[in-house]
Amino acid sequence: QVQLVESGGGLVQPGGSLRLSCAASGFTFSMYAMSWYRQAPGKERELVATTSAGSRTDYADSVKGRFTMSRDNTRDTVYLLMNSLKPEDTAVYYCNAIITGLSYWGRGTQVTVSS
């Protein structure tokens, strides 16, 4: 079955960096686009970045120039490198894949940006 497992979250000071990972299994990873979403307390889940099967990546305006999404098809893993973190980046970050019309989510990893 499809599984997405996020890791790498934590507490970081403003201006700091974190790298999130999402390990995928149960499908042919290299054939599908992958996305990162986040959900802050009291807010709706929002799209952060998407990378296509061909590694073209698009970003939300709020993270452009600070976040970099990448994928390693040899490890069936996507990454989100987050630099210059701000308190408003605090959220649970989720990995997502849409496979044959079904949307799959990981359990998320908490990122807290605070001094």
Side-chain angles (χ1 to χ4, degrees):
Q1 70 277 24
V2 174
Q3 285 193 322
L4 302 172
V5 180
E6 303 94 337
S7 61
L11 173 64
V12 62
Q13 292 187 342
S17 298
L18 280 176
R19 190 179 79 155
L20 307 183
S21 300
C22 171
S25 61
F27 62 104
T28 307
F29 177 81
S30 61
M31 293 180 60
Y32 293 94
M34 299 291 297
S35 299
W36 284 100
Y37 284 76
R38 67 185 180 186
Q39 188 166 19
K43 294 189 176 181
E44 293 187 356
R45 194 170 295 190
E46 64 172 353
L47 178 63
V48 175
T50 297
T51 186
S52 70
S55 296
R56 170 180 169 168
T57 305
D58 295 302
Y59 299 94
D61 287 344
S62 59
V63 306
K64 277 181 184 175
R66 299 188 298 122
F67 290 12
T68 302
M69 182 176 183
S70 59
R71 65 188 300 156
D72 184 343
N73 290 340
T74 67
R75 297 178 183 269
D76 290 358
T77 300
V78 290
Y79 303 96
L80 186 67
L81 175 61
M82 306 184 294
N83 294 322
S84 303
L85 282 162
K86 304 175 181 180
E88 52 263 43
D89 295 317
T90 295
V92 179
Y93 284 71
Y94 297 92
C95 186
N96 173 266
I98 298 176
I99 301 166
T100 59
L102 296 178
S103 186
Y104 294 89
W105 298 91
R107 291 189 176 185
T109 185
Q110 175 70 48
V111 171
T112 302
V113 184
S114 176
S115 55

